[in-house]
Amino acid sequence: MPKITYIEHNGAKHEVDVPVGHTVMEGARDNNVPGIEADCGGACACSTCHVYIDAAWVPKIAPKEAMEADMLDFAFEPNAETSRLTCQIQVTAEMDGLVVQMPERQV
């Protein structure tokens, strides 16, 4: 099972095992990781599961689709290169070691 590291804005780290096929958001939710609110439950209808993907991982995960890019316009301090909505990232076996950083707050 891939291990994903979620880093809160204050630097607190949460390393959790996330099943293949789940989303990065579900991994946070199911493991009570603070900082990812996921108000829409994963429907890509809000930006409350926004994170910054570690730059080394950006080319290793599927690119964002138009709907996700549009929703990121509503996120707190989005970064064009590294911002993603965790509800839109399906976990694969190759994601073992993925690191994501939460923004200061979710909008």
Side-chain angles (χ1 to χ4, degrees):
M1 194 175 311
K3 186 173 294 296
I4 297 176
T5 301
Y6 300 84
I7 304 174
E8 293 181 58
H9 184 71
N10 66 10
K13 293 183 180 182
H14 306 271
E15 292 183 358
V16 300
D17 293 321
V18 182
V20 169
H22 282 67
T23 64
V24 175
M25 181 273 297
E26 290 170 322
R29 180 197 65 202
D30 295 349
N31 290 281
N32 300 312
V33 174
I36 295 181
E37 297 170 13
D39 288 343
C40 73
C44 198
C46 71
S47 63
T48 61
C49 68
H50 170 230
V51 296
Y52 305 107
I53 301 293
D54 183 270
W57 281 92
V58 171
K60 298 177 185 178
I61 58 175
K64 58 188 126 180
E65 294 185 8
M67 190 161 123
E68 178 182 1
D70 288 345
M71 289 311 307
L72 282 166
D73 288 340
F74 300 102
F76 180 74
E77 297 183 348
N79 177 295
E81 299 298 318
T82 62
S83 285
R84 293 296 302 266
L85 297 180
T86 56
C87 69
Q88 298 303 298
I89 304 172
Q90 293 286 326
V91 175
T92 65
E94 294 76 28
M95 288 185 183
D96 187 45
L98 175 66
V99 178
V100 300
Q101 171 87 40
M102 271 80 94
E104 182 178 358
R105 60 186 166 94
Q106 299 288 355
V107 182

